[in-house]
């Protein structure tokens, strides 16, 4: 093997050293490029943070200016906002009654849908059977009729034993006739014919209940001028009479036309409700809108609108809760008041049938107020609310950055959506409000799902919106790149 001379060895060492130096230089250059990229990324991030801080500062400044302007308006505006919200909250229960009157009572279909199901309630059916049988027995002398029949038979010249035997049959015959009447009335009241008569009469005379009553004695439901609400038995007794005659019981022809009413309420509050209804008819469907305008005006004139919206929703929810409690207490009072004439179960069924729709409106408005309260709290000026919104914004930004690293971006459309984000949010809010205002029937699930869907839509809009890029050198939004 040839040996390397000193010069050759030194040359090899020099060459190896040169290669090592070149590798070191390349390594340093690569590290420098990495450091430069990190620096650029840090600078861009710092620029974004600086721009966000500046925007926050500008917003705070604008808020401060607005707050100053609000303070210059004086506390008179706060007082006016409070008065408007209080008046609206006081009128809200009346508005609920007006909604009930306009959409339920002044419309035949709504009225029939409310009262027609009462004819199928066992408690109401039992009450009608009892009162109808009592009315027939009170107006038909069954004992006298049977006595006349037996007297006529005795005059035929029957023997003593036959007469005695005949007399012993008189009491069972009277009891049998009464039992037959009860069975016939019960069978009729539990039949579809009774429900049909009930519904037809309601359809014809429903306005009598609401307007106070034009005195139609054939109405199945009537209101007397003394504040009595009752179920009239005349049409029912007439139908039972026809059935008995058709079955061959001639004595039924003696049943006269009976004008009897089952009084289901006799109280000054009924007269008050009727007077209130007359007022509602005068103001029409506008009262709910007046309440809505008063609430909106109270929020708009307030010095701190977010706080005013919270208090307005709380006041409205409390007024609905008080109305609901009042309806529940009223049921107990109603049952006790008519207990001498109507069994408790029947009275409770009648009360629920009459005010059930009002109760449902109260629940709907209360749920709507609570929903607005939750949204207003999250969007309010509180520190925890701002922090929550900040976390949500940071999460959306992180998702957008992750998508852009994978080449997924909304481009110019996203930039336009970001520029028009306030308009888009207003459109979503108006759409949700339109659902609440115009959709019928409005139920608590509809309100909750409307709010949830609106929030989800706003979240999606926030996610697909694309804030403009920030130039690290100027810390200003850079021109949008062509996509």
């Amino acid at each position: 093997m040839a040996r390397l001379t000193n010069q050759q060895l030194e040359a090899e060492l020099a060459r190896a050293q040169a290669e090592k130096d070149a590798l070191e230089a390349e390594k340093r250059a690569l590290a420098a490029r990495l450091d430069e990229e990190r620096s650029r990324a840090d600078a861009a991030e710092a620029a974004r943070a600086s721009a966000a801080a500046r925007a926050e500062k500008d917003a705070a400044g604008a808020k401060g200016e607005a707050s100053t302007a609000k303070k210059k308006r004086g506390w008179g505006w706060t007082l006016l906002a409070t008065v408007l919200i209080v008046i609206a909250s006081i009128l809200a229960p009346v508005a609920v009654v007006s909604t009930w009157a306009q959409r339920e009572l002044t419309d035949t279909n709504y009225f029939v849908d409310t009262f027609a199901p009462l004819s199928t309630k066992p408690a109401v059916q039992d009450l009608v059977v009892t009162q109808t049988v009592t009315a027939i027995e009170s107006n038909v002398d069954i004992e006298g009729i049977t006595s006349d029949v037996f007297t006529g038979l005795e005059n035929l010249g029957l023997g003593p034993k036959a007469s005695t035997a005949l007399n012993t049959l008189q009491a069972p015959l009277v009891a049998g006739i009464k039992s037959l009447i009860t069975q016939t009335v019960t069978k009729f009241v539990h039949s579809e014919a009774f429900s049909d008569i009930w519904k037809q009469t309601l359809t014809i005379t429903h306005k009598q209940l609401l307007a106070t009553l034009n005195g139609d004695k054939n109405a199945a439901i009537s209101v007397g001028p003394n504040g009595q609400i009752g179920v009239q038995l005349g049409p029912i007794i007439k139908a039972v009479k026809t059935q008995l005659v058709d079955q061959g019981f001639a004595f039924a022809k003696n049943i006269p036309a009976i004008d009897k009413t089952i009084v289901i309420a006799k109280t000054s509050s009924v007269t008050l409700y009727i007077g209130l209804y007359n007022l509602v008819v005068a103001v029409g469907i506008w009262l709910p809108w007046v309440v809505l305008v008063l609430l909106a005006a109270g929020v708009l004139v307030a010095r701190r609108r977010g706080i005013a919206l919270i208090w307005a929703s709380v006041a409205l929810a409390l007024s609905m809760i008080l109305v609901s409690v009042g309806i529940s207490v009223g049921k107990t009072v109603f049952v006790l008041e008519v207990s001498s004439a109507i069994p408790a179960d029947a009275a409770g069924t009648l009360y629920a049938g009459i005010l059930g729709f009002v109760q449902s409106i109260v629940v709907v408005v209360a749920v709507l107020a609570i929903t607005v309260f939750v949204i207003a709290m999250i969007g309010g000026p509180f520190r925890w609310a701002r922090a929550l919104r900040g976390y949500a914004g940071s999460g959306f930004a992180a998702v957008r950055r992750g998508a852009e690293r994978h080449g997924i971006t909304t481009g110019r459309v996203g930039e336009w959506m970001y520029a028009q984000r306030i308009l888009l949010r207003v459109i979503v809010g108006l759409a949700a409000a339109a659902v609440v205002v115009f959709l019928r029937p409005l139920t608590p699930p509809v309100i909750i799902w409307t709010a949830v869907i609106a929030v989800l839509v706003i979240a999606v809009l926030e996610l697909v919106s694309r804030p403009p890029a920030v130039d690290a050198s100027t810390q200003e939004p850079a021109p949008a790149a062509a996509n």
Side-chain angles (χ1 to χ4, degrees):
M1 174 182 288
R3 294 185 178 180
L4 296 176
T5 64
N6 289 336
Q7 289 181 343
Q8 291 175 333
L9 183 59
E10 289 177 356
E12 288 294 330
L13 290 175
R15 185 174 62 79
Q17 185 64 38
E19 291 178 355
K20 180 180 179 182
D21 293 340
L23 290 174
E24 290 291 337
E26 186 177 353
K27 181 179 179 181
R28 286 194 297 271
L30 181 59
R33 285 197 298 272
L34 291 175
D35 291 339
E36 184 179 357
E37 291 295 332
R38 292 194 188 96
S39 298
R40 288 179 181 176
D42 292 342
E45 189 66 27
R48 290 190 182 95
S50 177
R54 187 167 61 256
E56 184 72 18
K57 182 178 179 180
D58 293 341
K63 183 178 179 181
E65 293 177 0
S67 178
T68 302
K70 291 174 183 177
K71 289 181 179 179
K72 291 180 181 178
R73 293 165 65 184
W75 285 96
W77 292 99
T78 300
L79 178 60
L80 176 60
T82 303
V83 171
L84 291 174
I85 292 174
V86 169
I87 293 176
S89 300
I90 294 175
L91 289 178
V94 183
V96 168
V97 175
S98 76
T99 302
W100 173 59
Q102 290 295 332
R103 294 197 58 85
E104 173 85 16
L105 297 181
T106 60
D107 185 284
T108 300
N109 292 330
Y110 281 102
F111 179 80
V112 173
D113 289 343
T114 296
F115 288 93
L118 291 177
S119 64
T120 63
K121 303 296 183 181
V124 175
Q125 290 176 339
D126 293 343
L127 174 64
V128 172
V129 169
T130 301
Q131 294 291 331
T132 301
V133 170
T134 301
I136 293 175
E137 291 180 356
S138 299
N139 287 270
V140 178
D141 187 6
I142 298 176
E143 289 84 355
I145 294 174
T146 55
S147 177
D148 292 340
V149 171
F150 280 95
T151 300
L153 292 175
E154 289 179 356
N155 293 334
L156 294 177
L158 299 177
K161 292 184 178 181
S163 297
T164 302
L166 191 62
N167 289 331
T168 59
L169 295 176
Q170 183 172 353
L173 180 61
V174 171
I177 292 176
K178 291 183 178 180
S179 176
L180 175 64
I181 293 174
T182 301
Q183 292 176 4
T184 303
V185 172
T186 301
K187 182 178 180 181
F188 173 74
V189 170
H190 286 81
S191 68
E192 292 185 3
F194 171 69
S195 298
D196 292 340
I197 289 178
W198 183 286
K199 184 179 295 185
Q200 291 169 6
T201 310
L202 287 174
T203 302
I204 295 172
T205 62
H206 77 283
K207 292 182 180 180
Q208 176 181 346
L209 175 63
L210 312 171
T212 63
L213 335 213
N214 29 22
D216 185 357
K217 296 182 179 181
N218 293 321
I221 301 251
S222 65
V223 179
N226 58 350
Q228 293 181 347
I229 295 180
V231 178
Q232 293 225 9
L233 300 179
I236 301 171
I237 295 174
K238 182 179 179 181
V240 171
K241 175 181 177 180
T242 301
Q243 285 195 5
L244 289 172
V245 172
D246 291 342
Q247 293 175 11
F249 297 98
F251 78 90
K253 295 180 180 179
N254 296 318
I255 300 177
I258 300 175
D259 182 13
K260 181 176 177 57
T261 301
I262 303 175
V263 178
I264 63 175
K266 184 178 180 181
T267 172
S268 59
S269 62
V270 173
T271 305
L272 175 62
Y273 294 152
I274 294 171
L276 181 60
Y277 169 75
N278 290 330
L279 175 63
V280 168
V281 170
V283 299
I285 62 174
W286 297 108
L287 189 56
W289 293 102
V290 170
V291 172
L292 183 61
V293 169
L294 288 175
L295 288 173
V299 172
L300 291 176
V301 304
R303 298 171 65 199
R304 302 179 66 184
R305 293 174 181 171
I307 301 299
L309 180 59
I310 292 173
W311 280 110
S313 59
V314 169
L316 183 60
L318 287 177
S319 68
M320 293 300 101
I321 292 174
L322 290 176
V323 172
S324 180
V325 171
I327 292 176
S328 299
V329 173
K331 180 178 180 179
T332 303
V333 175
F334 175 80
V335 171
L336 292 175
E337 183 177 356
V338 300
S339 59
S340 59
I342 302 178
D345 55 348
T349 301
L350 291 168
Y351 185 90
I354 295 172
L355 294 182
F357 187 76
V358 177
Q359 181 72 60
S360 65
I361 296 179
V362 169
V363 173
V364 165
V365 176
V367 171
L368 177 61
I370 294 172
T371 302
V372 173
F373 169 77
V374 173
I375 295 175
M377 289 291 291
I378 295 176
F382 310 106
R383 180 179 299 177
W384 65 267
R386 288 196 297 267
L388 181 62
R389 296 195 298 270
Y391 291 143
S394 300
F396 289 136
V399 172
R400 282 195 297 267
R401 288 195 297 269
E404 290 176 357
R405 281 197 296 269
H406 290 82
I408 302 175
T409 178
T410 53
R412 289 187 179 277
V413 175
E415 293 178 358
W416 178 86
M417 294 179 67
Y418 179 81
Q420 304 297 328
R421 60 191 183 280
I422 302 299
L423 175 62
L424 294 176
R425 292 172 185 173
V426 170
I427 292 175
V428 173
L430 290 176
V435 171
V436 173
V437 171
F438 296 108
L439 183 62
R440 293 296 180 272
L442 189 62
T443 61
V446 169
I447 295 174
I448 295 174
W449 277 110
T450 300
V452 170
I453 292 174
V455 172
L456 291 177
V457 171
I458 292 176
V460 171
L461 292 176
E462 180 69 19
L463 182 61
V464 300
S465 298
R466 186 185 182 198
V470 178
D471 190 338
S473 61
T474 61
Q475 297 185 1
E476 294 293 339
N483 291 304

